[in-house]
Amino acid sequence: LIPDVIIQLPGGGNIVVDAKTPMQAFLDACAADDDETKARLLEQHAAATRQHIAHLSSKGYSAGVDPSPDFVVMYLPVESAFAEVMRADFTIMEDAAKRDVMLAGPLVLIPLLRAVAFGWRQHRVAERAEEIAEVGGLLYDRIATIVDHFVSVGRGLDRTVDAYNRS
């Protein structure tokens, strides 16, 4: 129940990434000499991927990761392996989504990670803005206190000058 990567989201959420995708059938298909063998191996690759989706769905990362992730990203490290799975089994993405598993190749995972990084930057900016607003409020209160003191000093001087002039 230990995922390969846990991506922490701003606000306390998590995304789990599993990179242990079965790739042997795909690699064998790439090395195959004839089209029949290649097609058979690509079908095996799609079946192994579908089986791994079922395995990830039943793994129970939601119990082992706190806070519980909404979905698990199944990372396929080679974009063409992802494309071949989609070509062989066009319903696999929909079926995986129903099991809270999202398939992702490098062209999906890298932008996802960049979006999370952007979210963290925005979260930090928002935190800093709150700090700045808090310090600004404190500064305003202190300036208002100083102004009140100067007004009191001005009134005291006015009374002193008035008393001096009367005397």
Side-chain angles (χ1 to χ4, degrees), residues 128-155:
R128 289 184 184 133
E130 288 175 11
E131 290 174 21
I132 290 169
E134 186 178 316
V135 170
L138 182 61
L139 181 62
Y140 175 82
D141 292 342
R142 289 182 178 179
I143 289 173
T145 302
I146 288 174
V147 168
D148 287 343
H149 291 311
F150 278 126
V151 168
S152 295
V153 167
R155 280 190 214 124

Side-chain angles (χ1 to χ4, degrees), residues 1-6 16-20 55-56 59-61 63-65 72:
L1 290 178
I2 299 173
D4 295 309
V5 176
I6 298 174
V16 169
V17 178
D18 182 281
K20 296 179 281 291
H55 175 70
L56 286 177
K59 221 171 186 185
Y61 281 130
V65 177
V72 175

